[in-house]
Amino acid sequence: HAKGDPTGCLKAYGEAEKIMAGLATQFPDDARYRRELATIDGWLGNAYGHHDYFNVENPSAAAEYFRRAYRLVEQLSATDPKNAQARLDLIIHGGKLAEVLAAMNAREDAWRYLKACSPALGKDLEPNSYYFRVKSSCLQARWYVEYTTGRYAAALRTLDELDNFNQASSSNPADLGLRETNITSQMRRGVIYTA
């Protein structure tokens, strides 16, 4: 996938999915296998049609894989409400599913799944924590759903919030990751203004 070969990675992810699905079926009480299967389904969703990844431009397949991942972690979260990882996975897969659905013009469904991000968006988090990255991911999902559904002013406000949030995460102004994030943010603003 990192080499820009979504077709090749779909084949590899597909094999991984078969193996993990077999383990999840063979050991139904082991939550680890179901979580790994959800992770693989998320990767398949990325390669099939998530806008931030090299993909084969099949948003319907992407949405189906993100739905599978979401359902799996939703079950894990319901089975074990204290499982923080399952709740975080639910937030991540909900945000990605919302983005793909928005791109497919399934607006109501996109907003419904974006609500999975609500717990992460309302928290003040320590920089450089995993939770911090989850909140950043949710802000990115929100701007994309707002932009794709024509809520341009809201999308610009979310980008401002995302910029401020990302700025707080780095104490090093020469941080290349932060610089890349800032460039991406400016490109997103250009897309919004063009629309």
Side-chain angles (χ1 to χ4, degrees):
H1 206 177
K3 291 181 177 181
D5 180 8
T7 304
C9 80
L10 282 173
K11 183 178 178 188
Y13 289 159
E15 290 300 315
E17 183 193 32
K18 287 177 194 170
I19 293 167
M20 197 55 62
L23 288 169
T25 300
Q26 188 176 356
F27 303 102
D29 294 332
D30 192 332
R32 179 184 59 176
Y33 294 126
R34 287 181 287 151
R35 180 179 185 272
E36 291 297 326
L37 181 57
T39 299
I40 293 166
D41 284 344
W43 293 340
L44 282 160
N46 291 338
Y48 268 109
H50 191 278
H51 66 94
D52 277 341
Y53 298 87
F54 287 111
N55 67 74
V56 295
E57 298 181 19
N58 186 339
S60 296
E64 182 52 38
Y65 279 105
F66 285 130
R67 273 191 192 94
R68 287 183 196 183
Y70 187 86
R71 283 192 296 263
L72 279 167
V73 294
E74 189 175 42
Q75 291 167 0
L76 289 171
S77 184
T79 304
D80 182 5
K82 293 182 181 180
N83 185 339
Q85 185 63 57
R87 289 193 313 272
L88 291 173
D89 290 345
L90 194 63
I91 290 168
I92 291 167
H93 292 302
K96 286 190 173 195
L97 179 54
E99 290 177 274
V100 171
L101 290 169
M104 294 170 57
N105 209 24
R107 295 175 177 195
E108 287 181 30
D109 285 341
W111 285 108
R112 184 166 44 90
Y113 282 102
L114 188 61
K115 287 180 184 175
C117 280
S118 296
L121 292 173
K123 291 185 178 181
D124 290 328
L125 304 169
E126 289 295 317
N128 300 319
S129 72
Y130 182 71
Y131 293 93
F132 198 88
R133 290 190 298 278
V134 168
K135 183 171 181 174
S136 180
S137 175
C138 281
L139 286 168
Q140 290 180 55
R142 187 171 76 192
W143 95 263
Y144 187 78
V145 172
E146 289 167 342
Y147 158 69
T148 308
T149 59
R151 298 178 181 190
Y152 303 131
L156 288 170
R157 286 191 300 274
T158 298
L159 281 177
D160 289 341
E161 185 178 350
L162 180 60
D163 287 347
N164 292 335
F165 186 73
N166 287 330
Q167 197 72 29
S169 73
S170 177
S171 58
N172 178 5
D175 178 355
L176 289 179
L178 180 61
R179 292 165 90 184
E180 180 183 6
T181 299
N182 290 338
I183 291 168
T184 301
S185 183
Q186 292 307 316
M187 290 181 349
R188 290 172 175 169
R189 278 184 176 75
V191 168
I192 293 169
Y193 286 123
T194 301

